[in-house]
Amino acid sequence: MLRNPMVDVYATIGAGCDITYKIHNVDDVEFTFGTEQDGCTLTIEGTALRSLMNTAERALADLARAEREYVASRVG
């Protein structure tokens, strides 16, 4: 099992992108962005998914702050 894979992937996931998931076993979740025929698939372990979610929550908070600052700069 890979613990520190070196992967070079670039993807843009737009607001209208379909996102689905499948549980493959007790600790692996497979996410598909787009369709199974023409999408991108990511398999992630539960512990790594929890870490990703914590990071994503912080990113969303930073994004909301940046949006508020942008709006405030345009108003004032």
Side-chain angles (χ1 to χ4, degrees):
M1 177 173 294
L2 296 174
R3 292 291 176 198
N4 295 307
M6 294 184 66
V7 180
D8 186 11
V9 175
Y10 178 86
T12 299
I13 302 168
C17 181
D18 291 334
I19 302 173
T20 58
Y21 70 92
K22 295 178 187 174
I23 306 296
H24 281 288
N25 60 45
V26 71
D27 199 41
D28 287 343
V29 180
E30 177 183 286
F31 289 92
T32 300
F33 303 92
T35 66
E36 288 187 12
Q37 291 76 30
D38 66 356
C40 176
T41 300
L42 170 69
T43 301
I44 187 166
E45 292 180 355
T47 301
L49 179 58
R50 289 176 190 91
S51 177
L52 175 63
M53 294 304 297
N54 288 333
T55 302
E57 287 177 1
R58 290 192 309 273
L60 282 171
D62 287 346
L63 181 60
R65 185 171 33 261
E67 289 170 344
R68 286 190 304 272
E69 290 171 1
Y70 174 78
V71 169
S73 73
R74 304 292 285 173
V75 172

